[in-house]
Amino acid sequence: MYNPHSQALLVDHFFNKPKLDIHFQTRLATNLSAIRDRFVRLYGEREDLDDHLGRLIDVMSKAYESRDKALKKSDFQRERNPDWFLSEQIAGMMFYVDRFCGDLPMLRKKLDYFEELGINLLHIMPVLESPEGRSDGGYAVSDYRKVDAKFGTMEDVQGLARDLHRKGMYLMFDMVINHTSEDHEWAKKAKAGDKTYQDYYYCYDSRNIPDQFEQSLPQVFPDTAPGNFTYHEDMRKWVMTVFNNYQWDLNYTNPTVLIEMIDVLLFIANQGIDIIRLDALAFMWKRVGTDSQNLEEAHILVQIMKACMQVVAPGTIFLAEAIVAPHHIVRYFGNGRSVSNECDIAYNATLMTLLWDTVATKSNKLLTNSLHQIPKKPEGTTWLNYIRCHDDIGLGYEDHHAQQVGYDGRAHRSFLTDFLTGKIDWSFSRGMPFMEDKSNGTARISGSLASLAGLERAIQENDEYARELAIRRIILLHSIIISYGGIPLLYSGDEVAALNDYSFQSHKDHKSDNRWVHRPKMNWEEAKLRHEEGTAENRVFHATKVLLAIRKQSPEFADQNNCYLVDAHNDHLLGYMRQNDSGKTFVIANLNDHPERIYFDLMIQLGFDMRAGVRDKVRDKTIDFSNYELKLEPYEFYWIKQQ
Ligand code: GLC
């Protein structure tokens, strides 16, 4: 829409920068009035508004000028194929560079490992400079433009991106936008008394406002970082620290902060990053009297960041790290009817959490009931499907969804906590309680996929059958994230069934945070066992590799909002259909440790021509339905297509 104020800014800009090419100029012209409109919604029609916007245009022009030619070419291609990331060809893995192989130069030599498995999207966990011992695994950044020396340099990141692009692979990079480290230059200046920089954070002279906030602000790390404010003697002020006390929350009510962060985001995109993971974006706007999560203003901030990214680097897209209630997560895809105007990808936290419910209950009830109630996401966006990541598993389903399937939400949560932490004696799981809530006996859960799925206990007890079931469970869970609608993201180590690593308990910086139990160093000696027939490493690696390869040969696995849950009339079975113009695959998985069956009629109902017969893609075999049924052994699954 024509807006005289943004038009004036544009005309001014075109006059000053006539040399910028048509790509930039058209994108700016398309986005500027939306950007200005959102600035007004956040900051009001203040006198200096257009000065801020002028500065923002400057930031964008400069970032565009320094953007590499090859990246601009790829931007242009992606603009013409905006669905590039919805493809069935993409499969990712996330890992800590140091724990995986040491540093970035070494990583560039390890790409064949990912290729061997069929992984072409690498999510490297935070590598920017972060103070040792106060880094929260790199999520406390002290310099957004510098790679921490222990990983290498920014040139190494660029080199990695180039290597990956040459091979048709992609790079995902973390951006911690909600807070900085207390050692960031801005925080240091604030501590030294500089008012300009104190305004970059939420700094208060007295407890008055902090106390008001505390009444409704939940705590993220109540055991290790109680409270949401930290007192700093040097500046005699309380500063907001929602996560750890060394992570200072940025004050986005100050437009200068937003522009600084956009500058940094564009700088990072210019290193050759394909996907930027926006860390903790739900927390970006705070208001007294609320829980300061998912506020409308946080969405507006993301919309502005997205629009600026589209002007400068439309080939770089956003992943929302919003591990919040399902109806809130979907909102991070934006409010555009058909396309996203916020994030392009979001973690499918509902699927992740409730897959763990299926592990404990062997039933699909809560999972399918909750998935049915997630509002539809816009076309042109996708989920990131995962089973484990570096964080704890929060049992954050909605209690009324649990009630609808006959559970008491709270009681069920404490059952799941007990089950996944192995408190119940018949449980095979070996998780650890994280940030336990002593008042109700619930906790979030730490633990590796293999240990949670029963492999650790089976090995300890030398129980061959339990070991077999655990391996099947791991493969089953991988099969679901690989076939469900979205991008599968494996967690490094899970592909070789890595167990919990208890060495964090004697590590000075890690012992108070048991999330490190599932952040093991890659054991390359053990990983060699992936080539040794019959080992757990081999079984899991090989099966995962086969499934990833089948995914890539199945265009119906591209995400076009074409994943439909199928009721197989049996709580122990999870079924869904993947279907588009190129074909259809019916996925059916047995969540039970006993055999279950599906019947001929179901196949007819699903539109299969049973005279022509059906075929299982996983085993590459015709399925024998001569008894009018298909028996699924414990934790078995089939990907069924028309013969
Ligand atoms: C995100 C990260 C988590 C970190 C937190 C604070 O949730 O995934 O590891 O502790 O942000 O940055």
Side-chain angles (χ1 to χ4, degrees):
M1 272 250 256
Y2 185 83
N3 173 320
H5 299 284
S6 36
Q7 192 63 20
L9 282 163
L10 263 183
V11 172
D12 232 27
H13 158 78
F14 288 151
F15 185 75
N16 289 330
K17 297 260 183 190
K19 281 207 313 279
L20 282 170
D21 69 23
I22 182 143
H23 298 287
F24 180 81
Q25 308 288 39
T26 24
R27 290 180 203 138
L28 183 64
T30 317
N31 283 285
L32 191 60
S33 92
I35 294 175
R36 191 181 187 283
D37 167 67
R38 283 165 177 78
F39 259 76
V40 173
R41 281 162 69 192
L42 288 180
Y43 305 118
E45 284 280 9
R46 44 197 270 178
E47 262 182 21
D48 60 356
L49 189 84
D50 286 329
D51 297 338
H52 283 297
L53 283 164
R55 214 151 36 78
L56 179 62
I57 295 178
D58 221 40
V59 160
M60 289 193 277
S61 319
K62 288 207 175 100
Y64 187 72
E65 276 168 327
S66 55
R67 189 159 174 81
D68 188 82
K69 259 199 187 151
L71 295 177
K72 286 184 180 169
K73 197 168 151 207
S74 134
D75 288 336
F76 184 54
Q77 282 160 356
R78 288 179 186 176
E79 274 182 307
R80 292 200 290 179
N81 172 25
D83 290 351
W84 62 272
F85 61 96
L86 307 179
S87 164
E88 74 285 357
Q89 299 298 322
I90 302 188
M93 181 178 278
M94 62 182 295
F95 54 91
Y96 289 92
V97 174
D98 51 344
R99 302 185 84 74
F100 181 71
C101 64
D103 57 16
L104 289 161
M106 183 50 94
L107 177 59
R108 292 175 67 181
K109 298 189 186 132
K110 286 270 182 207
L111 300 186
D112 52 345
Y113 181 72
F114 301 102
E115 289 177 292
E116 181 188 340
L117 183 59
I119 293 296
N120 56 5
L121 162 66
L122 270 48
H123 171 200
I124 55 172
M125 303 290 292
V127 293
L128 295 177
E129 193 180 81
S130 183
E132 208 188 328
R134 287 171 295 129
S135 85
D136 187 20
Y139 286 101
V141 176
S142 53
D143 191 338
Y144 288 110
R145 291 169 198 269
K146 197 166 161 215
V147 167
D148 202 300
K150 72 175 180 194
F151 298 113
T153 63
M154 204 48 101
E155 285 68 46
D156 295 327
V157 173
Q158 292 164 7
L160 172 66
R162 273 197 306 273
D163 293 351
L164 291 172
H165 293 158
R166 226 173 281 129
K167 290 172 177 286
M169 296 167 80
Y170 307 91
L171 184 57
M172 174 143 89
F173 196 90
D174 259 278
M175 268 303 297
V176 188
I177 52 175
N178 175 67
H179 45 261
T180 72
S181 152
E182 62 176 344
D183 283 12
H184 191 283
E185 185 198 344
W186 303 334
K188 283 188 182 160
K189 289 186 177 160
K191 278 191 217 165
D194 188 332
K195 285 256 169 312
T196 306
Y197 289 95
Q198 288 177 354
D199 279 350
Y200 274 42
Y201 301 96
Y202 293 92
C203 294
Y204 302 100
D205 293 329
S206 75
R207 283 291 312 180
N208 186 8
I209 297 177
D211 284 344
Q212 292 177 36
F213 266 116
E214 288 293 11
Q215 288 181 18
S216 53
L217 265 184
Q219 305 209 16
V220 180
F221 299 134
D223 291 355
T224 47
N228 288 290
F229 292 84
T230 306
Y231 190 67
H232 277 271
E233 194 60 59
D234 21 11
M235 59 176 182
R236 302 238 183 101
K237 284 184 197 293
W238 292 91
V239 64
M240 184 184 274
T241 52
V242 168
F243 290 85
N244 289 295
N245 56 15
Y246 51 79
Q247 290 166 307
W248 289 24
D249 286 71
L250 283 163
N251 172 13
Y252 282 100
T253 66
N254 176 355
T256 305
V257 172
L258 173 58
I259 295 170
E260 291 262 24
M261 191 48 80
I262 291 171
D263 197 6
V264 169
L265 282 166
L266 298 175
F267 169 79
I268 292 299
N270 277 353
Q271 310 308 310
I273 306 305
D274 302 287
I275 306 176
I276 294 181
R277 174 187 184 273
L278 297 179
D279 181 64
L281 79 180
F283 293 78
M284 273 198 298
W285 197 273
K286 283 71 179 178
R287 188 179 308 121
V288 167
T290 71
D291 64 358
S292 297
Q293 290 181 33
N294 308 306
L295 295 182
E296 183 56 28
E297 290 86 345
H299 288 282
I300 299 175
L301 285 169
V302 185
Q303 288 165 18
I304 295 173
M305 291 173 176
K306 174 74 178 163
C308 295
M309 193 55 76
Q310 267 164 342
V311 172
V312 177
T316 303
I317 56 172
F318 287 160
L319 161 68
E321 193 256 338
I323 313 301
V324 291
H327 64 277
H328 278 304
I329 300 183
V330 178
R331 292 237 23 235
Y332 289 94
F333 288 124
N335 55 9
R337 278 244 303 271
S338 56
V339 290
S340 161
N341 58 358
E342 287 185 34
C343 293
D344 309 274
I345 314 176
Y347 282 95
N348 197 347
T350 310
L351 180 72
M352 182 278 293
T353 303
L354 294 178
L355 279 175
W356 287 109
D357 174 82
T358 70
V359 168
T361 61
K362 302 172 204 161
S363 157
N364 72 33
K365 277 199 304 196
L366 186 51
L367 173 66
T368 49
N369 185 44
S370 302
L371 289 178
H372 271 306
Q373 295 181 62
I374 299 184
K376 200 171 157 213
K377 63 182 172 57
E379 304 284 327
T381 62
T382 197
W383 291 115
L384 201 117
N385 294 320
Y386 65 119
I387 181 71
R388 284 304 290 117
C389 73
H390 68 295
D391 278 329
D392 47 286
I393 302 167
L395 302 172
Y397 56 79
E398 313 228 23
D399 283 5
H400 63 277
H401 293 167
Q403 204 171 12
Q404 286 157 0
V405 296
Y407 300 143
D408 172 290
R410 281 182 181 204
H412 191 64
R413 197 167 287 113
S414 60
F415 158 71
L416 290 176
T417 308
D418 290 349
F419 182 89
L420 293 169
T421 57
K423 252 195 190 169
I424 299 176
D425 57 358
W426 50 267
S427 159
F428 48 74
S429 251
R430 282 290 175 267
M432 297 183 90
F434 180 69
M435 300 292 147
E436 209 165 355
D437 184 342
K438 302 242 163 41
S439 67
N440 58 20
T442 65
R444 286 133 69 182
I445 313 290
S446 293
S448 77
L449 165 58
S451 289
L452 288 168
L455 190 60
E456 186 175 323
R457 178 171 175 175
I459 292 174
Q460 267 163 8
E461 297 182 353
N462 210 358
D463 181 337
E464 201 36 54
Y465 186 61
R467 177 178 172 276
E468 174 62 29
L469 291 182
I471 292 173
R472 288 192 191 185
R473 263 180 223 114
I474 297 169
I475 297 173
L476 174 81
L477 292 168
H478 273 165
S479 81
I480 294 170
I481 61 167
I482 292 171
S483 58
Y484 199 77
I487 301 173
L489 187 80
L490 305 186
Y491 184 59
S492 168
D494 289 349
E495 78 286 8
V496 285
L499 300 177
N500 282 348
D501 171 9
Y502 297 100
S503 67
F504 79 96
Q505 286 164 332
S506 51
H507 187 294
K508 67 176 177 19
D509 299 331
H510 297 164
K511 60 181 173 213
S512 61
D513 184 345
N514 71 23
R515 289 178 298 173
W516 288 97
V517 79
H518 56 257
R519 298 171 180 176
K521 275 200 174 151
M522 181 73 175
N523 184 331
W524 288 100
E525 270 315 301
E526 277 176 17
K528 282 190 190 148
L529 294 174
R530 71 187 184 277
H531 299 305
E532 207 168 291
E533 196 78 13
T535 60
E537 289 81 353
N538 169 262
R539 297 267 310 275
V540 173
F541 190 92
H542 181 73
T544 309
K545 177 177 167 162
V546 168
L547 295 173
L548 287 169
I550 301 173
R551 171 187 164 90
K552 292 182 188 176
Q553 290 151 18
S554 311
E556 65 273 27
F557 282 0
D559 186 12
Q560 296 156 335
N561 280 350
N562 55 338
C563 185
Y564 314 98
L565 291 171
V566 169
D567 182 359
H569 311 293
N570 177 338
D571 286 352
H572 296 300
L573 295 174
L574 174 66
Y576 44 90
M577 187 69 96
R578 301 303 318 272
Q579 184 166 8
N580 65 11
D581 293 343
S582 331
K584 78 177 188 188
T585 295
F586 171 46
V587 174
I588 185 80
N590 182 6
L591 308 169
N592 201 359
D593 53 7
H594 290 287
E596 298 293 339
R597 288 171 169 76
I598 56 166
Y599 299 96
F600 197 82
D601 332 1
L602 176 70
M603 302 304 290
I604 305 268
Q605 273 167 30
L606 292 175
F608 285 105
D609 176 353
M610 295 307 281
R611 269 171 307 197
V614 287
R615 195 168 180 82
D616 172 35
K617 289 181 149 195
V618 179
R619 296 160 189 79
D620 197 18
K621 262 170 80 179
T622 300
I623 299 179
D624 178 10
F625 258 102
S626 53
N627 287 333
Y628 296 94
E629 63 172 40
L630 168 65
K631 181 172 162 201
L632 288 94
E633 296 298 338
Y635 301 116
E636 252 191 346
F637 57 91
Y638 284 76
W639 293 0
I640 305 177
K641 66 168 185 176
Q642 186 71 61
Q643 183 82 280

